[in-house]
Amino acid sequence: MKLRHYTNSKESAVSIIKSKQMWLGKTGEALKDRDEVNHYINIFRLFHSLDDIVTSLNKKSSHDSKVNLYENMIKSLFITNFYSKNRIMIGDIFADVIRDESYIICFTEDNESNFHESKYGPVSFLFSDNPLLENKYEDFRFLTKQIIYIDSKEFINVENELEEFYEKAFQPIKEILNDQEFHQMLIDIHDLIKEKFDKKESKTLRKELIKNGENLKKNTLLEYEIMTKTIKNFHEETDFDVDKVSYIGGYLESRINKVREDRILSHFEENLAKHHRLNGTFRQVQKDGHERNIISCFLKDIIDKDDNETRIIALPVSRNINLMENKLKVDLDMSLLKEIIVSNSEDKENTIKEIKSALEEMGLEHVIVK
């Protein structure tokens, strides 16, 4: 596997040669477009939204119970929708953790890449294999994978249908969906349930709710199955080291569940937050779920397909490290460096001269520079 890495100047190139290091940038800061790293926001986030909805609609409830039906369906959907709008879905927290607590570097397997040159710079290093000496960094696991390119437009319809879904489901409680505190809305919804659905004369309303609920369930399950198939296809294209992913999955399980719980509980009064924390109210994602989600770090939109990117991400396995730095310096196996190409540089001849000098100084005279 040949990998080519582009850098923006002769100073940067010389620094790489003399330090025998490359810097991985903090994922959320390193990419030109902060949202590029995670199509999780656009696709995996939708998957989790549908997953939560399907879970809500499949909760066991008796149609003979006037209140339980409404609470099990509408109230659960309200909570899911609130989490989505306030960016505290599982996918949102996953994306934040990946952006803020991991480091990234990009390569390409193309011999020459106008895309990478225009984006990252005119000097490229060609390695015969992955040059990062990963074993020296016990607190991180490094995942390497070619990017999977997807057409995110395919998922716009799913997002639009979700909005229509909520519109229909919330029709009976529309009058109390406003900007008041989350826990107060839950109280108001409970009161509305007692007022509108716990009466003999509400039989027609309850029947209509059951009918609408079944239709919503059917349509959502269909979307969920389509999305599940898509996610499965992503996973079938992966070849990650199982042990590495397991370490990372364990970290993500504890980290994401904790961050998400804190953000959710921030919407409750202190005594209610304490009650929910003690009772472990909120749904948590297990380790294997986060292990599957890792593939989302290697998705990009098909409009970027020309970059033919291979991405390496260093993900932490412990909180006992300093993640405040914007760069992670990683040592290189310079024996894998085969050539350096300088193109479209204003000072091309001098750049080549200085790079050759640095290579000679480091005993790397065999490396071709052109």
Side-chain angles (χ1 to χ4, degrees):
M1 173 179 66
K2 291 184 178 180
L3 293 177
R4 189 178 292 277
H5 177 73
Y6 284 76
T7 190
N8 61 7
S9 66
K10 67 181 178 184
E11 290 78 14
S12 176
V14 169
S15 175
I16 289 171
I17 294 166
K18 290 188 175 182
S19 68
K20 298 183 179 180
Q21 290 180 326
M22 280 186 176
W23 288 20
L24 278 65
K26 180 69 70 69
T27 299
E29 306 297 330
L31 298 174
K32 304 297 183 184
D33 176 2
R34 182 174 168 86
D35 285 335
E36 176 198 303
V37 64
N38 240 309
H39 275 286
Y40 202 104
I41 297 298
N42 301 319
I43 296 174
F44 277 69
R45 185 173 182 275
L46 281 175
F47 176 75
H48 282 295
S49 296
L50 288 171
D51 187 32
D52 282 351
I53 290 170
V54 169
T55 300
S56 299
L57 295 179
N58 280 332
K59 283 184 177 178
K60 299 295 182 183
S61 63
S62 169
H63 288 184
D64 295 330
S65 170
K66 300 171 184 177
V67 176
N68 282 348
L69 170 67
Y70 192 74
E71 285 196 308
N72 283 339
M73 186 177 79
I74 304 299
K75 199 171 180 181
S76 294
L77 293 178
F78 164 74
I79 292 171
T80 300
N81 183 249
F82 182 87
Y83 290 173
S84 179
K85 289 187 179 303
N86 286 274
R87 298 289 173 177
I88 45 180
M89 295 289 288
I90 294 164
D92 298 313
I93 308 304
F94 183 98
D96 286 346
V97 169
I98 293 297
R99 288 186 179 116
D100 297 337
E101 301 179 15
S102 69
Y103 298 87
I104 189 171
I105 190 168
C106 300
F107 294 84
T108 181
E109 294 186 28
D110 288 344
N111 288 329
E112 294 182 19
S113 173
N114 292 331
F115 185 99
H116 281 254
E117 182 180 324
S118 63
K119 191 171 184 179
Y120 299 110
V123 183
S124 66
F125 286 67
L126 178 64
F127 297 92
S128 59
D129 206 340
N130 174 7
L132 304 187
L133 293 171
E134 305 170 8
N135 293 335
K136 297 183 69 174
Y137 303 87
E138 295 180 358
D139 293 322
F140 291 92
R141 294 296 181 272
F142 291 69
L143 293 181
T144 303
K145 179 169 177 51
Q146 277 191 307
I147 292 297
I148 298 173
Y149 297 93
I150 47 88
D151 187 354
S152 59
K153 291 179 181 177
E154 293 178 3
F155 300 93
I156 292 175
N157 289 336
V158 182
E159 202 159 19
N160 291 338
E161 287 172 20
L162 267 180
E163 287 304 311
E164 293 178 13
F165 175 96
Y166 283 123
E167 182 71 23
K168 292 177 183 176
F170 295 150
Q171 198 61 40
I173 59 170
K174 203 168 185 180
E175 60 195 77
I176 61 171
L177 295 177
N178 50 42
D179 293 329
Q180 65 183 325
E181 293 295 324
F182 173 57
H183 69 270
Q184 184 58 51
M185 280 192 278
L186 286 175
I187 293 170
D188 290 349
I189 289 171
H190 178 77
D191 292 343
L192 195 65
I193 291 168
K194 299 294 291 183
E195 177 187 339
K196 287 193 173 184
F197 291 89
D198 196 18
K199 298 177 182 177
K200 186 176 181 179
E201 57 268 27
S202 300
K203 184 176 180 180
T204 301
L205 189 59
R206 289 195 298 273
K207 281 186 174 180
E208 186 66 20
L209 176 64
I210 292 169
K211 180 181 176 182
N212 289 338
E214 290 302 317
N215 288 336
L216 291 173
K217 182 176 177 179
K218 179 180 177 182
N219 294 336
T220 306
L221 281 172
L222 179 62
E223 296 289 357
Y224 182 67
E225 288 171 4
I226 294 171
M227 189 72 80
T228 300
K229 184 178 179 181
T230 302
I231 301 299
K232 183 181 178 182
N233 289 339
F234 292 156
H235 289 294
E236 288 177 348
E237 297 185 44
T238 66
D239 51 1
F240 291 140
D241 182 303
V242 174
D243 290 336
K244 284 185 181 180
V245 171
S246 180
Y247 274 106
I248 297 166
Y251 172 79
L252 293 175
E253 178 186 23
S254 60
R255 181 73 181 130
I256 291 171
N257 288 335
K258 176 66 168 61
V259 172
R260 184 167 184 258
E261 181 183 90
D262 288 344
R263 291 190 190 178
I264 291 172
L265 293 178
S266 69
H267 293 279
F268 290 87
E269 293 177 348
E270 186 176 346
N271 61 326
L272 290 171
K274 183 178 180 181
H275 166 78
H276 285 299
R277 194 182 295 280
L278 289 172
N279 287 278
T281 305
F282 304 108
R283 180 185 173 206
Q284 297 190 333
V285 175
Q286 300 303 311
K287 175 181 173 181
D288 59 343
H290 293 303
E291 289 176 3
R292 289 191 299 271
N293 291 340
I294 286 170
I295 186 59
S296 65
C297 301
F298 298 87
L299 300 180
K300 288 178 72 172
D301 198 277
I302 200 167
I303 61 173
D304 291 324
K305 193 170 183 177
D306 288 345
D307 71 357
N308 192 26
E309 180 182 331
T310 293
R311 181 175 285 177
I312 300 178
I313 298 183
L315 291 150
V317 295
S318 168
R319 285 289 291 169
N320 300 323
I321 53 176
N322 180 14
L323 294 169
M324 300 302 291
E325 299 293 334
N326 285 332
K327 302 284 186 180
L328 177 68
K329 296 179 182 179
V330 179
D331 293 342
L332 301 173
D333 181 352
M334 297 300 280
S335 70
L336 299 176
L337 178 59
K338 300 305 176 185
E339 71 175 21
I340 299 175
I341 295 179
V342 181
S343 60
N344 300 328
S345 171
E346 293 181 2
D347 190 18
K348 185 174 180 177
E349 288 186 9
N350 189 48
T351 298
I352 290 175
K353 182 179 178 181
E354 290 195 28
I355 287 174
K356 283 183 175 181
S357 176
L359 288 169
E360 289 173 4
E361 182 182 332
M362 302 306 295
L364 297 169
E365 298 90 342
H366 65 279
V367 176
I368 299 169
V369 184
K370 58 183 181 180

